[in-house]
Amino acid sequence: MLRHLMAILTLVLLAAPVLTTAQEAEAPVIDRSATGGAQTLEDILRRQQGLPVDESFRSDNVGGDAVPPPNLAPLGTSSDPDLWRALRFNKADVTVSTNNDVGKVLVQDGGMKWYEFRKGPLATYGGYLLLGTIAALAIFYVLRGKIRLDEPMTGHTVTRFQFFERFSHWMLAGSFILLGLTGLLTLFGRMFIAPYVGKELNATMLTVSKMIHNNVAWAFMLALVLVFVLWVWHNIPDKTDIKWFAQAGGIIGNKHPPAKKFNGGQKIIFWSVILLGASLSVSGLSLLFPFQLPLFAKTFAILNDIGVPGWVDMSPLPTALAPQEEMQLAQLWHAIVAFVMMAIIIAHIYIGSLGMEGAFDAMGTGEVDEAWAHQHHSLWLEKVKEDEAKAGGAGTATPAE
């Protein structure tokens, strides 16, 4: 199920640049007769401007414009450019110990596409997403203010979350915050930190960030499993969620719809964290172990078998990927999912702190006032009181004579 979900989301990732490229001017047919088939000034200028360049004149003619006259070259009948061109387009006669076709790829220039996407659309739109989320929440806070209790506090509390539940939540939250911060440092460090603190200090910060990121990831994955096991049964959607969404959960307006232990909004947060967190974990493991856990070649094979590329007029996706290509795709996927999850968590933090009166107590001490529980989780409060009444009755009951 997770692999199929990842396959569908991967298609979205791949389709965006393809559709964008389709809107650009196609690479024109360039007259290379004056250069004997070698690249021209127009090729160089188009490449510098980021415009499409038809590389077939190189890949289809390896040894063409770079082969010198016989017996005149220092290396015989071929030159260094000819050799490197053959390696770049995977047309060199290479023998490797792995006895694997992808192992013969010694020069993989797809790294430039990864680099351009990483420093361009990924950093730009990811940054806009986080800043836009914060700005939207700030505007909402100004317009709506903090969600206050309609009734005064009763002074009587009810246990909302046990210690182990809070421990699991904070381990997940703390590890994710560390992962998010170190990931952002890794992505934006060269652009926004190095110019002010210097490249050496930035490099040290990124080295430490990498160590933290790779090791804290294990705590995140463990906490994700614990949270799933603890709360999955409370987060199965039911008919009470329909009424909760119809009244906007009381966030907009003054109505407070009934809810069980978790309301409709919290269930969306839960499943977002579980699904996106699982995807982050799998892609992160693939980055840590690219040779043992390649993901995208298998994912592309699933997409091709389903026929998904044809839905958007794409050619079949490649299913023989070098480890470097697997890591590039995994890194982009990892970052995109992380940005989406960070935006969701920022909204979650807002509701649990500034956005709602008394909400932090649920995960702070584990105890909430009955007035808060009645306003936001009335069905859950009724169930708790019912269980307490049954337990009390059972404790005072006397054996039948």
Side-chain angles (χ1 to χ4, degrees):
M1 176 66 181
L2 180 60
R3 186 178 293 280
H4 285 78
L5 177 63
M6 185 175 179
I8 295 173
L9 294 177
T10 302
L11 180 67
V12 177
L13 167 63
L14 293 173
V18 170
L19 295 176
T20 302
T21 303
Q23 296 174 355
E24 297 176 351
E26 295 182 358
V29 177
I30 298 175
D31 181 11
R32 299 187 177 89
S33 58
T35 60
Q39 75 171 341
T40 65
L41 177 60
E42 187 175 353
D43 290 318
I44 297 173
L45 292 175
R46 288 185 64 83
R47 192 176 290 109
Q48 290 178 345
Q49 297 169 8
L51 299 175
V53 177
D54 184 4
E55 298 282 4
S56 61
F57 76 95
R58 289 181 164 186
S59 60
D60 294 344
N61 297 283
V62 171
D65 63 320
V67 176
N71 303 320
L72 294 182
L75 300 179
T77 59
S78 63
S79 66
D80 282 347
D82 187 45
L83 172 62
W84 288 110
R85 187 174 296 111
L87 291 173
R88 174 183 175 186
F89 293 105
N90 197 28
K91 293 193 175 183
D93 185 12
V94 177
T95 302
V96 292
S97 59
T98 61
N99 196 27
N100 189 315
D101 288 337
V102 297
K104 297 178 181 179
V105 182
L106 303 184
V107 176
Q108 193 271 117
D109 62 353
M112 288 307 299
K113 297 178 182 177
W114 164 82
Y115 176 72
E116 293 295 335
F117 185 85
R118 182 177 180 273
K119 77 171 185 178
L122 177 62
T124 301
Y125 295 119
Y128 285 157
L129 175 62
L130 297 186
L131 294 177
T133 301
I134 295 172
L137 291 173
I139 294 172
F140 183 79
Y141 181 78
V142 171
L143 297 177
R144 175 65 172 83
K146 178 174 287 192
I147 300 173
R148 301 287 183 179
L149 291 178
D150 294 341
E151 310 169 16
M153 293 286 192
T154 63
H156 299 287
T157 62
V158 59
T159 301
R160 177 93 172 119
F161 294 110
Q162 300 291 341
F163 171 78
F164 189 70
E165 291 179 292
R166 288 180 283 126
F167 168 79
S168 301
H169 169 273
W170 286 116
M171 181 164 68
L172 184 66
S175 60
F176 181 75
I177 290 173
L178 277 175
L179 292 171
L181 291 176
T182 53
L184 290 174
L185 284 175
T186 303
L187 179 61
F188 292 108
R190 180 179 295 182
M191 289 180 277
F192 299 110
I193 299 178
Y196 301 99
V197 302
K199 294 182 179 179
E200 291 187 4
L201 181 56
N202 179 61
T204 302
M205 292 174 59
L206 296 187
T207 300
V208 174
S209 294
K210 177 179 179 293
M211 295 176 60
I212 294 174
H213 201 91
N214 291 349
N215 289 283
V216 172
W218 302 106
F220 173 80
M221 288 185 277
L222 173 61
L224 192 69
V225 173
L226 292 177
V227 166
F228 176 79
V229 173
L230 287 170
W231 293 333
V232 61
W233 300 114
H234 296 291
N235 283 279
I236 298 175
D238 55 43
K239 60 182 181 180
T240 60
D241 300 325
I242 299 175
K243 186 174 182 180
W244 190 90
F245 284 114
Q247 298 182 8
I251 297 177
I252 300 175
N254 297 318
K255 295 182 178 180
H256 302 289
K260 297 181 180 179
K261 182 164 187 174
F262 294 103
N263 58 44
Q266 291 170 323
K267 290 179 182 180
I268 289 180
I269 296 292
F270 174 84
W271 287 111
S272 297
V273 169
I274 294 300
L275 295 177
L276 295 177
S279 183
L280 278 177
S281 300
V282 173
S283 57
L285 288 171
S286 181
L287 287 170
L288 290 173
F289 308 102
F291 294 94
Q292 294 80 13
L293 189 61
L295 293 178
F296 282 85
K298 298 177 182 178
T299 301
F300 290 167
I302 294 174
L303 288 169
N304 290 338
D305 291 341
I306 299 175
V308 177
W311 300 351
V312 289
D313 293 328
M314 290 175 57
S315 301
L317 299 170
T319 55
L321 298 174
Q324 299 94 325
E325 293 174 291
E326 286 280 359
M327 292 181 70
Q328 289 157 9
L329 291 170
Q331 191 276 332
L332 294 180
W333 177 263
H334 192 77
I336 290 172
V337 174
F339 271 121
V340 174
M341 189 168 172
M342 280 189 283
I344 293 173
I345 294 303
I346 288 173
H348 176 61
I349 293 174
Y350 166 78
I351 291 294
S353 55
L354 294 176
M356 180 180 292
E357 180 183 6
F360 182 79
D361 294 337
M363 276 299 168
T365 63
E367 300 288 325
V368 295
D369 193 271
E370 288 189 2
W372 184 93
H374 179 264
Q375 180 166 312
H376 298 293
H377 298 273
S378 58
L379 298 179
W380 168 75
L381 179 62
E382 291 174 6
K383 181 69 166 56
V384 169
K385 287 187 169 295
E386 180 181 337
D387 291 342
E388 288 178 350
K390 290 180 179 179
T396 57
T398 57
E401 297 181 358

